[in-house]
Amino acid sequence: MKKPLYIFSSGRLERRENTLSLETQEGRKVIPINSVSEIKVFGELDINKRALEFLTRNQIPVHFFNHYGYYIGSFYPREALNSGFIILKQAEHYLDREKRMYLAKGFVAGAVNNILKNLEYYRRKGKDLKETISSIEEKFKAVSSVDSIAELMQVEGEIRKTYYESFNLIIQVEGFYFDKRTKRPPENPINALISFGNSLLYTTVLSEIYRTHLDPRIGYLHETNQRSFSLNLDISEVFKPVIVDRVIFSLLNKGQMQLKHFDSDVGFSYLNDKGRSIFVKEFEDKLNTTIKHRNLGNVSYRRLMRIECYKLYKHFMDEEIYKPFVGEW
Amino acid sequence: MRYEDRISIGGTLVWYYYICKREVWLIGHGIEAEQENDYILLGRYIQEIFYTRKRKEIMIDNTIKIDILPGRKVIGEIKKSSKFLESAKMQVVFYLYYMKREKGIDMEGVLLIPEERKRIKVSLTPELEREIEEVIEDIGRILKLEKPPKAVKIPYCKKCAYRSMCWA
């Protein structure tokens, strides 16, 4: 079973014979190449071309994060899987306005439905979320009639804003107060958690896309020409509430994540090393949690991201229109 | 497409043709299965083999072993069970047909199923030649379809590397 490798410490990643070797202050760790599915780098890492070549041959993407845990970029090895047919279909669905809108709305619908699942769960647990839920349901009605990506993004933004404002009702933990979503930079611990969790999710989905025939550069909701990868952002929208938000709620409400796990710099907050490793562990546990799929038996959340890609295949092949994943809780 | 590619893809397509037509379409459209399908360019190997004195074993996906016995011009195939016998047999037939048509070399085939102590000779009879021609024709027809043939649940799905793509 291949697993993601997270590198928090600083050091050197090398190829030795046919294995990976990670040299840090603690000494040398040998990592069998066949045990690694992707690498996420947080520490100060030295890596040379020989190692990158080795990773390419073994089809292992590498994602880099800076000192504060912000995403820097990815080493996306040359495509292992190529199907002209799929790429053309992907582009066709982007270029045709109606087709593009359908998919963009699909990702938003998935996101909103999963947001509502979270809210309903906490409402059942006695949190006063009635207004939040009806306000989001009301805003969501506008989605069917919008006919531009900009408008759709706006509706989605408003829904997220309403949702995030309810975090104070869901997370009632001393010292963690959420006023508004701030991204660049995240101004307080909850914002730092959201940003960090989202970057982990974006790179995880990107690694899954890498193992498919889809081109991560062609997205539908997120503008294709603005950034290097966008399809992973689209698919992430659907999974954010299911993975990232639930991890945050759980870590804070169970007291596993505390203020001591954050450092702050002028006007912003970020997770320290300990905080990051706590988050990553919970995040990975969540990804490995399995649920029952109607046709495929027990599948993990990570696997569901891959299945989401295959649902796009079926959509592109005119077999079955895309319906986003909605998690149960 | 180089002929080496054509023969390796072709052989694979024949194998799948007898199992699942949808899979034929997917492979034909460059959508490979999830597992690392190690498609070996058989043509190139076959050529190599004619220059070696050693018996060569060639692994093709799904545990087919093709042995080329130099000097004897035999394509041998070792299989675990006779479960997909027809598939395996017709794949060998395809290679035999190909070698005959493209290279002008007449070869013999043999299927070995050690666990069942079976040894089945495969020769390119006129009937088989006609059948493989029809199959090649039909594969061409499937590949021209706008969309893949509908997914049908068969026992093979359980272990198939396309399973998630069909049943997502």
Side-chain angles (χ1 to χ4, degrees):
Chain A
M1 186 60 193
K2 290 174 183 244
K3 291 209 309 271
L5 167 67
Y6 286 83
I7 301 176
F8 292 107
S9 45
S10 296
R12 208 179 159 68
L13 186 69
E14 288 179 317
R15 172 185 180 176
R16 286 185 155 257
E17 309 286 319
N18 276 326
T19 188
L20 280 175
S21 139
L22 179 63
E23 241 178 294
T24 62
Q25 281 181 322
E26 288 103 66
R28 174 173 301 146
K29 218 169 104 184
V30 172
I31 304 144
I33 193 78
N34 292 330
S35 69
V36 181
S37 59
E38 62 179 293
I39 303 178
K40 290 187 166 121
V41 181
F42 294 91
E44 225 15 270
L45 190 79
D46 287 333
I47 187 164
N48 63 12
K49 194 176 84 171
R50 196 162 163 265
L52 291 176
E53 206 175 326
F54 185 51
L55 293 168
T56 296
R57 196 142 35 87
N58 288 281
Q59 300 173 9
I60 298 171
V62 190
H63 309 290
F64 296 95
F65 300 82
N66 77 1
H67 171 70
Y68 301 110
Y70 298 172
Y71 176 59
I72 299 171
S74 298
F75 172 68
Y76 198 79
R78 73 167 174 263
E79 287 284 359
L81 298 172
N82 269 315
S83 161
F85 172 82
I86 293 278
I87 301 279
L88 290 171
K89 285 285 175 194
Q90 239 189 298
E92 178 193 318
H93 282 256
Y94 177 83
L95 295 169
D96 180 307
R97 197 185 152 93
E98 231 168 275
K99 289 178 177 166
R100 180 180 171 191
M101 278 312 286
Y102 178 83
L103 283 172
K105 284 182 182 184
F107 296 126
V108 171
V112 175
N113 280 318
N114 284 320
I115 282 172
L116 288 168
K117 288 272 179 205
N118 283 0
L119 292 168
E120 273 151 15
Y121 171 81
Y122 281 103
R123 188 182 161 190
R124 284 197 302 273
K125 289 186 85 173
K127 308 281 186 191
D128 183 16
L129 293 162
K130 193 162 171 272
E131 265 178 55
T132 306
I133 292 171
S134 53
S135 155
I136 287 177
E137 282 170 343
E138 195 52 43
K139 290 187 171 83
F140 184 57
K141 284 180 188 156
V143 167
S144 57
S145 60
V146 301
D147 67 356
S148 78
I149 296 290
E151 283 175 275
L152 181 63
M153 281 287 225
Q154 202 185 342
V155 174
E156 200 228 9
E158 284 166 20
I159 289 173
R160 273 201 186 274
K161 187 166 171 290
T162 309
Y163 170 56
Y164 284 135
E165 279 162 4
S166 74
F167 273 31
N168 279 325
L169 296 168
I170 296 172
I171 304 159
Q172 290 171 317
V173 180
E174 190 69 39
F176 285 92
Y177 179 77
F178 189 82
D179 49 350
K180 63 177 194 305
R181 177 80 178 107
T182 47
K183 290 184 192 171
R184 282 176 270 272
E187 286 168 15
N188 54 34
I190 295 186
N191 271 303
L193 289 173
I194 296 171
S195 293
F196 185 67
N198 288 349
S199 321
L200 286 184
L201 183 64
Y202 296 150
T203 52
T204 300
V205 174
L206 183 57
S207 298
E208 287 305 317
I209 292 175
Y210 178 66
R211 312 217 177 271
T212 71
H213 299 80
L214 297 169
D215 189 319
R217 293 167 300 184
I218 306 175
Y220 301 90
L221 176 61
H222 294 83
E223 201 61 50
T224 282
N225 303 322
Q226 301 289 328
R227 46 175 77 79
S228 45
F229 301 121
S230 53
L231 185 63
N232 59 326
L233 306 184
D234 286 1
I235 294 172
S236 293
E237 288 299 316
V238 175
F239 288 94
K240 270 181 202 174
V242 186
I243 310 288
V244 179
D245 301 348
R246 291 186 197 181
V247 164
I248 293 171
F249 300 152
S250 157
L251 284 173
L252 292 177
N253 287 334
K254 287 184 184 148
Q256 282 170 277
M257 187 67 88
Q258 295 153 17
L259 285 176
K260 65 176 185 202
H261 298 123
F262 294 84
D263 283 342
S264 59
D265 218 315
V266 187
F268 71 96
S269 170
Y270 61 95
L271 277 162
N272 60 26
D273 288 352
K274 181 73 184 129
R276 256 174 235 169
S277 71
I278 291 172
F279 194 100
V280 162
K281 191 189 171 310
E282 190 71 18
F283 177 81
E284 282 295 324
D285 284 351
K286 174 63 80 180
L287 288 182
N288 294 330
T289 306
T290 59
I291 62 165
K292 199 139 181 58
H293 182 281
R294 66 195 153 88
N295 293 323
L296 298 168
N298 286 335
V299 291
S300 68
Y301 281 113
R302 184 192 297 280
R303 186 71 192 159
L304 280 164
M305 294 169 193
R306 176 84 66 93
I307 288 168
E308 210 64 6
C309 294
Y310 294 148
K311 279 155 69 179
L312 289 172
Y313 281 30
K314 292 174 103 172
H315 182 79
F316 295 145
M317 296 190 296
D318 270 337
E319 284 204 285
E320 214 173 303
I321 60 172
Y322 174 70
K323 291 269 182 289
F325 167 75
V326 178
E328 287 306 326
W329 204 359
Chain B
M1 203 190 263
R2 302 203 324 266
Y3 94 84
E4 291 96 331
D5 297 337
R6 218 173 44 225
I7 189 170
S8 76
I9 298 266
T12 313
L13 289 181
V14 171
W15 158 270
Y16 287 120
Y17 181 83
Y18 285 88
I19 295 170
C20 171
K21 309 267 192 291
R22 180 181 169 85
E23 215 160 355
V24 169
W25 191 96
L26 290 169
I27 296 179
H29 284 76
I31 303 168
E32 10 340 42
E34 253 187 56
Q35 66 191 21
E36 293 173 40
N37 267 331
D38 229 355
Y39 290 143
I40 294 166
L41 301 175
L42 195 80
R44 193 183 297 167
Y45 277 105
I46 287 182
Q47 281 186 312
E48 266 175 37
I49 283 140
F50 285 124
Y51 298 113
T52 77
R53 300 300 309 155
K54 285 206 301 278
R55 171 177 170 271
K56 275 260 183 177
E57 260 190 5
I58 299 169
M59 275 294 285
I60 298 192
D61 57 336
N62 24 16
T63 66
I64 296 179
K65 271 209 184 66
I66 289 204
D67 290 344
I68 309 286
L69 310 173
R72 288 181 41 206
K73 292 193 187 164
V74 172
I75 294 182
E77 205 179 289
I78 301 166
K79 280 199 55 66
K80 265 190 143 59
S81 79
S82 45
K83 213 170 172 180
F84 298 108
L85 200 57
E86 173 108 71
S87 261
K89 187 176 130 188
M90 289 313 289
Q91 192 169 356
V92 174
V93 167
F94 173 81
Y95 294 130
L96 296 175
Y97 173 82
Y98 187 92
M99 293 307 286
K100 179 179 170 181
R101 279 298 158 100
E102 295 281 321
K103 304 269 174 251
I105 301 169
D106 286 321
M107 294 182 82
E108 285 296 317
V110 63
L111 275 176
L112 304 159
I113 307 163
E115 284 172 43
E116 299 172 18
R117 304 207 167 169
K118 278 186 187 154
R119 194 185 167 91
I120 303 152
K121 272 187 119 149
V122 184
S123 306
L124 194 59
T125 62
E127 292 79 37
L128 285 172
E129 214 166 318
R130 262 199 303 282
E131 183 174 346
I132 199 74
E133 275 170 356
E134 276 168 29
V135 168
I136 292 167
E137 185 85 20
D138 202 33
I139 287 174
R141 182 191 60 81
I142 292 168
L143 295 182
K144 284 196 193 75
L145 295 172
E146 284 283 308
K147 54 167 97 172
K150 229 169 131 39
V152 181
K153 259 222 167 66
I154 53 173
Y156 188 81
C157 294
K158 258 211 295 291
K159 287 184 180 165
C160 180
Y162 281 102
R163 183 167 164 242
S164 298
M165 284 184 219
C166 295
W167 304 107

